[in-house]
Amino acid sequence: MAGSILSGALGLSGIAGPSRAFAQNTADATAPANGVLSVLSGIDPLVAGAAGAVGLAVAAVIWALRVSAATRHQSLHWSDTLAEMEARLEKADSVLSAHPGLVLVWEDDTDSLNSGWGEPKILGGPAALASLLSFSKEGEDSKSAPVDRLLNAIGALPLEDDDAEKPEPLRDKIKNLRAHGVAFSGNVVTADGRSIEVDGRVAGGQVALWITDPAVRMAEDGAVIGAFRERAVDLHGAHALLERSPVPAWRRNAELQLVWVNRAYADVVEAPSAADVIKQQIELDNSIKKLASSAATERKANEGRAVINSRGERRVFRIVETPLHGSGDAALGGVAIDITEQDKAKSDLKQQIEANQRTLDQIQTAVAIFGASQNLIYYNRAFQELWSLDDAELSGRVYHGEVLDQLRMKGRLPEPSDYDEWKEKQLALYTEGLAEPGAERLGGAPDEIWRLPDGRTIRVGRMRHPLGGVMLAFEDITEKISLEAQFNTQIKVQKATLNNLAEGVAVFGGDGKLRLYNKAFQKLWRLDARHLDAEPHIDAILGGLKKLAREADASFDALRRSIVSKAHEDRQTYEFREIRLADGRTIAIGAEPLPDGATLAHFLDVTDSKEREKELKERNAILENADRLKSKFVDHVSYQLRTPLSTIIGFSEMLDGQMFGVLNDRQKDYIASILSASYHLRDLINDIIDLAAIDAGQLDVNFKKTDIRKLLESAATFAALKAEDTQVTLKVDCPKDIGEAELDEKRIKQVLFNLLSNAFAYTGPGGAVTIGAKRVGKAVKIWISDTGRGLSPTDQARAFDAFESRGPSAGAGLGLALVERFVKLHHGWVRMDAEEGKGATITCFIPEPIPATEAAAPGEGPEGQQQDEEKPKKAPARKRAKARSKGDAAARQAAE
């Protein structure tokens, strides 16, 4: 349009028009002269000549007049034409001045291409020029021409052209236009983000550059063309916005083919550019084309959902295909909204709801949720079990009021005086206290306690559900109330018990504050009850205690650590520590950590106990000294008696053998009595020496493999003569395959001899004595039973005490004492079963010896250390017995 206007304004042919008009006027003037000559042809030649001369003169005059008139007419015509051309040029300038931009026109001048921008003709309004000059740089030479300043400012900017893959600078575009006539159209974007439209065209032998600022165009809102241009700018802005939008967008033609996509679309399908997408017709998803077909058929927007794998990630899009009610390439438009996060959040929310429901199904509290319309939308298993409702009763659309009515009919609800009022109160939470429209609905009702006819007590919690409706929680607290009553009773009993204790007790919480104390604690430390009732900290209490015991700071500090410290090494049982108070009292303090993090501190006044202990220690020291003197005396005397006794026995045996002459019968009786008494005294002295050695821990035990059967037969052979003398039957009860056992044969024989002697002494003529043995687990059980007179319970209690004699036939009372001690040296034990008048049975249990490695590892403990240091030496019997005592309890239990 600009080219045609410019051609009409400059391409005038004024000369050709007046020449044609002048020829036409000359023809019109000569037409009447030809008619006059034809009339005069019949007249006299002279007359004719005269007339011709006259006529010629007249014609010349007329012709001159006509020529003059034509000249005047042509001059007027030229003036009119010139005025018309000036008017048309003024109109063209007015139209170009009304253009909201600049038009730069270059003549066909190629010489100025290399010398700069040249001197183009500037057309357009001053407002457009002023607006465009605002883009020129401030530091540029102000003396330069306005066109040069403008073109220098925007010439280096790239021209964004839809047909070009790589934008070129505007300077190069203008140079190609002027040199080769290559037209272009596009826009350049300034540093402040404003877009300038630029069009280059060839108009005849001239080149025109149209530069338009949309801001000036938008200012023209008074005319229709201004509104049209404003809408065009809006459309261009919307198009640019869609192009840069992160949301994939596209446009289809009537055949549903893609004709335009934005950059986000190309990024999603991983295409190099939007042109490649159009060329290859790459769809986001195959289902989208069906969605577009449906939208085109129904002539309304259609939505769908597509899952796309883009750049290795799963992305979910909401697809919207909308008819554009246009023609050509604007039949359909679509956008894809990325809802991946929303879809994930929705999926997570669904999983969270399901997880919450599964969690609610596992808890013991019954939960029911009613919607805003009072219909039941969720309940857990506990709710169904609490009210004994089956699935059929809760299926379908069940309302809150219907559930209450149903439970009341079954007698499972409280029985209020006015059920309708009670029910209305239960349903009031749906309507009472509603928030203003649009506000979040919150609120709750206080818990209620329902006492049901079947004796149960239910706590009901009610609250508004954030999504609308009501959520109810039912908890059966029948057992809780019963346990609470029992707990309160127990607490009262405990308090009464603590208050009646002589020991002071104080319980401190994990924060170090006093939680519980008894009266003994208050009186023991003479504290103020009001101060203790205020639950003071342990530091405040210890401050007063340290004043009473000035030298016990270390003990109190240890007590404090056991109460307030969280370290494992401090949270241990604090053993009793005795502290001396300034008033002379002695207090034993200790602490015990409790499972709940609290600490029990206990205090006991041991002043009297310490005094009694002191007295007992002094008395015990006296008794131990006396016992030591007694043992020393007995040992010394026994050894001193053995020497003269040996002399007596030796000379008596010599006399009995009549080595110095024949003895008469009376002398023989005297010698026999002397020998018998000497032998008895020797045995008694040996027993005393053995007993003293055992008590002193100086008697050794030599273990070796010994046949049990032969051991019993040997003892029976020794006692056979005694049995014949006392007319008592002796029997051996022992399996032949009983095998061997590790024991000291000499000491066990001594045990058997003492027991047999004791049995013969208590058994009268005609009685029976049995010696037997058998294996019981890993122990050997040896017993001797008789049918004698037995023992009374009183005698049984003292039977194994040393020097205890029972009855006229009893000896010195050392036999059973030695039996018990010898068996203990074998880590065994002795048991007596006797009944007065019915005989007695004495049983010895001898367990299998424990290896030394199990009894005590070398180097461990004092015994092990002594064994390491004195390996060549044999450990005393008492220490060996202590080392082997670990298995005694288990062996005793297995044997018995």
Side-chain angles (χ1 to χ4, degrees):
M1 182 180 70
S4 61
I5 295 175
L6 188 61
S7 299
L10 301 177
L12 301 178
S13 57
I15 300 176
S19 299
R20 287 192 297 267
F22 178 77
Q24 182 65 33
N25 293 335
T26 305
D28 293 340
T30 57
N34 292 332
V36 175
L37 290 177
S38 64
V39 175
L40 296 176
S41 61
I43 305 176
D44 184 44
L46 186 59
V47 175
V54 172
L56 182 60
V58 172
V61 171
I62 293 174
W63 178 81
L65 293 174
R66 292 294 300 271
V67 170
S68 176
T71 301
R72 289 193 305 270
H73 178 74
Q74 186 65 29
S75 178
L76 292 174
H77 178 72
W78 270 102
S79 298
D80 294 338
T81 302
L82 182 59
E84 183 179 355
M85 289 180 61
E86 290 177 351
R88 291 174 63 184
L89 182 59
E90 185 178 354
K91 290 180 180 180
D93 289 341
S94 299
V95 171
L96 291 176
S97 298
H99 175 63
L102 290 181
V103 181
L104 305 180
V105 181
W106 283 273
E107 298 293 339
D108 189 8
D109 183 12
T110 58
D111 296 336
S112 62
L113 286 175
N114 298 325
S115 61
W117 298 107
E119 296 181 358
K121 184 179 180 180
I122 304 174
L123 300 175
L129 179 60
S131 175
L132 292 172
L133 284 177
S134 63
F135 301 119
S136 61
K137 298 180 180 179
E138 296 180 358
E140 201 168 4
D141 188 6
S142 59
K143 296 181 180 180
S144 301
V147 173
D148 293 339
R149 292 168 55 192
L150 173 62
L151 294 180
N152 287 334
I154 65 176
L157 299 176
L159 181 69
E160 297 184 2
D161 188 357
D162 293 339
D163 297 333
E165 295 184 0
K166 184 177 180 181
E168 297 181 8
L170 179 62
R171 186 190 306 275
D172 296 341
K173 288 285 188 179
I174 296 176
K175 186 177 293 184
N176 289 334
L177 173 66
R178 294 178 60 189
H180 306 290
V182 180
F184 61 86
S185 179
N187 62 331
V188 294
V189 180
T190 62
D192 57 356
R194 292 180 62 179
S195 179
I196 306 299
E197 299 176 1
V198 183
D199 293 290
R201 296 289 185 269
V202 176
Q206 299 172 332
V207 174
L209 178 65
W210 297 71
I211 305 175
T212 306
D213 184 4
V216 178
R217 183 183 299 173
M218 292 176 61
E220 299 176 355
D221 54 357
V224 176
I225 188 170
F228 172 78
R229 290 175 177 174
E230 182 180 354
R231 293 187 180 182
V233 171
D234 292 341
L235 179 61
H236 179 77
H239 184 273
L241 179 62
L242 282 177
E243 179 65 30
R244 294 168 174 79
S245 173
V247 177
W250 61 90
R251 193 171 67 247
R252 300 179 187 272
N253 58 16
E255 286 75 24
L256 304 182
Q257 292 183 338
L258 296 172
V259 295
W260 173 85
V261 297
N262 64 352
R263 297 176 185 174
Y265 188 104
D267 291 339
V268 171
V269 299
E270 303 179 29
S273 64
D276 290 335
V277 176
I278 302 301
K279 183 178 180 180
Q280 301 179 26
Q281 290 294 304
I282 303 175
E283 294 283 350
L284 289 175
D285 190 71
N286 295 330
S287 61
I288 299 179
K289 205 164 186 178
K290 298 179 181 179
L291 193 68
S293 177
S294 176
T297 302
E298 299 175 1
R299 303 306 298 168
K300 65 178 183 180
N302 205 350
E303 295 187 8
R305 184 173 178 270
V307 180
I308 302 171
N309 188 356
S310 177
R311 302 188 185 277
E313 295 183 359
R314 178 183 178 275
R315 301 175 66 181
V316 183
F317 289 91
R318 175 189 170 203
I319 309 300
V320 181
E321 286 279 0
T322 306
L324 300 180
H325 304 284
S327 60
D329 294 342
L332 289 169
V335 292
I337 304 172
D338 192 347
I339 59 172
T340 305
E341 295 298 330
Q342 179 182 352
D343 184 77
K344 183 178 182 300
K346 185 177 180 180
S347 176
D348 293 344
L349 178 61
K350 183 179 179 181
Q351 294 178 1
Q352 187 69 24
I353 292 175
E354 292 176 354
N356 290 338
Q357 291 180 354
R358 287 195 299 269
T359 303
L360 289 176
D361 285 336
Q362 300 300 322
I363 65 176
Q364 299 298 323
T365 302
V367 177
I369 300 176
F370 294 89
S373 57
Q374 302 186 17
N375 60 308
L376 181 64
I377 59 177
Y378 172 78
Y379 61 91
N380 62 353
R381 294 181 184 176
F383 176 81
Q384 189 174 2
E385 294 173 356
L386 177 66
W387 301 113
S388 302
L389 298 172
D390 51 26
D391 295 334
E393 293 174 319
L394 298 175
S395 61
R397 195 172 181 84
V398 182
Y399 292 91
H400 192 175
E402 295 176 355
V403 174
L404 294 177
D405 294 339
Q406 190 174 6
L407 294 177
R408 181 173 182 263
M409 294 297 296
K410 294 182 179 182
R412 298 172 187 167
L413 288 182
E415 293 294 342
S417 57
D418 190 343
Y419 172 74
D420 294 335
E421 182 181 355
W422 181 84
K423 177 182 176 182
E424 182 179 355
K425 180 181 178 182
Q426 297 299 316
L427 302 178
L429 190 60
Y430 292 97
T431 56
E432 291 183 359
L434 291 177
E436 295 295 329
E440 185 179 6
R441 303 211 310 168
L442 295 174
D447 293 345
E448 289 187 358
I449 302 298
W450 290 0
R451 304 191 182 278
L452 306 186
D454 58 2
R456 292 182 299 171
T457 302
I458 306 296
R459 185 181 67 83
V460 184
R462 304 180 302 166
M463 66 171 294
R464 293 276 187 85
H465 197 275
L467 301 180
V470 174
M471 182 172 67
L472 303 177
F474 304 89
E475 182 181 2
D476 189 348
I477 59 174
T478 307
E479 185 177 358
K480 180 180 179 181
I481 292 177
S482 176
L483 292 176
E484 185 177 353
Q486 295 178 8
F487 176 77
N488 292 334
T489 303
Q490 186 177 5
I491 289 297
K492 293 179 180 178
V493 172
Q494 289 178 352
K495 287 183 177 180
T497 303
L498 290 177
N499 286 331
N500 287 290
L501 289 177
E503 185 177 6
V505 175
V507 178
F508 294 89
D511 55 356
K513 291 186 177 181
L514 181 65
R515 294 285 182 261
L516 181 67
Y517 70 94
N518 63 350
K519 293 181 179 179
F521 172 76
Q522 176 196 352
K523 294 179 179 179
L524 184 66
W525 294 105
R526 301 168 184 174
L527 299 173
D528 187 2
R530 291 176 296 179
H531 175 64
L532 297 178
D533 292 338
E535 298 184 355
H537 194 269
I538 179 64
D539 293 337
I541 296 178
L542 290 181
L545 302 187
K546 289 181 179 180
K547 295 179 180 179
L548 299 177
R550 302 181 184 278
E551 299 179 357
D553 291 349
S555 300
F556 285 131
D557 292 340
L559 176 63
R560 181 187 181 279
R561 285 195 303 271
S562 66
I563 293 175
V564 302
S565 177
K566 303 299 181 183
H568 176 71
E569 58 271 14
D570 293 330
R571 293 287 297 169
Q572 302 294 330
T573 300
Y574 180 65
E575 300 293 344
F576 267 115
R577 294 189 182 183
E578 295 179 358
I579 59 176
R580 188 81 172 176
L581 302 187
D583 57 4
R585 291 182 297 162
T586 302
I587 306 297
I589 63 175
E592 186 72 28
L594 300 180
D596 60 350
T599 303
L600 173 68
H602 43 91
F603 308 86
L604 182 62
D605 188 347
V606 294
T607 306
D608 295 337
S609 300
K610 295 297 293 183
E611 294 295 333
R612 302 290 85 75
E613 181 182 358
K614 183 178 179 181
E615 294 176 359
L616 290 176
K617 285 182 178 180
E618 293 176 354
R619 182 175 299 178
N620 184 59
I622 295 173
L623 292 176
E624 287 181 352
N625 187 40
D627 185 65
R628 185 167 53 256
L629 292 174
K630 181 192 72 174
S631 300
K632 185 176 181 180
F633 172 77
V634 170
D635 188 26
H636 178 73
V637 171
S638 298
Y639 278 102
Q640 293 297 324
L641 290 176
R642 179 179 288 184
T643 300
L645 181 61
S646 300
T647 302
I648 294 172
I649 293 174
F651 285 119
S652 298
E653 289 177 346
M654 292 173 62
L655 292 175
D656 186 53
Q658 300 183 13
M659 296 178 62
F660 303 106
V662 180
L663 302 176
N664 55 33
D665 293 337
R666 177 173 292 183
Q667 291 173 337
K668 291 180 179 179
D669 292 338
Y670 289 158
I671 294 299
S673 298
I674 292 172
L675 285 175
S676 177
S678 299
Y679 289 149
H680 178 71
L681 181 59
R682 183 188 62 183
D683 293 340
L684 179 61
I685 291 173
N686 289 336
D687 289 344
I688 292 174
I689 292 175
D690 290 341
L691 186 64
I694 293 174
D695 290 341
Q698 297 177 353
L699 186 65
D700 295 335
V701 181
N702 298 317
F703 290 93
K704 66 178 181 178
K705 294 286 186 179
T706 304
D707 189 293
I708 303 300
R709 174 79 182 184
K710 290 182 179 181
L711 180 65
L712 265 63
E713 290 177 349
S714 176
T717 302
F718 172 79
L721 295 177
K722 185 71 173 178
E724 292 178 359
D725 294 341
T726 57
Q727 300 179 359
V728 175
T729 304
L730 178 61
K731 183 175 66 173
V732 177
D733 182 11
C734 179
K736 293 183 179 181
D737 58 348
I738 190 172
E740 297 178 337
E742 278 198 22
L743 46 81
D744 188 333
E745 183 178 0
K746 175 183 176 182
R747 300 304 177 186
I748 295 301
K749 278 186 178 181
Q750 192 172 352
V751 168
L752 296 178
F753 294 160
N754 288 343
L755 291 177
L756 288 172
S757 299
N758 190 71
F760 288 132
Y762 280 87
T763 305
V769 175
T770 303
I771 178 172
K774 70 175 182 178
R775 288 191 176 276
V776 181
K778 293 185 178 181
V780 176
K781 176 181 177 183
I782 301 176
W783 72 90
I784 294 177
S785 61
D786 61 69
T787 59
R789 63 176 181 268
L791 284 87
S792 65
T794 303
D795 292 337
Q796 291 182 41
R798 299 177 299 176
F800 295 98
D801 294 341
F803 306 104
E804 287 289 339
S805 299
R806 291 158 295 281
S809 59
L814 295 176
L816 292 181
L818 284 173
V819 167
E820 183 183 31
R821 284 165 172 75
F822 283 146
V823 173
K824 283 185 177 180
L825 288 176
H826 287 76
H827 309 289
W829 62 97
V830 181
R831 187 177 66 188
M832 174 184 286
D833 297 319
E835 187 175 352
E836 193 170 3
K838 294 184 179 181
T841 299
I842 299 177
T843 305
C844 301
F845 293 91
I846 303 176
E848 181 179 347
I850 300 176
T853 55
E854 297 182 12
E860 293 183 3
E863 290 85 4
Q865 184 177 1
Q866 182 176 358
Q867 290 176 6
D868 288 344
E869 295 176 354
E870 301 178 1
K871 285 185 179 179
K873 298 180 180 180
K874 196 168 185 180
R878 178 176 296 177
K879 293 188 177 181
R880 292 202 307 273
K882 183 177 181 181
R884 296 180 52 175
S885 62
K886 293 183 179 180
D888 290 355
R892 180 188 295 267
Q893 184 178 3
E896 294 182 354

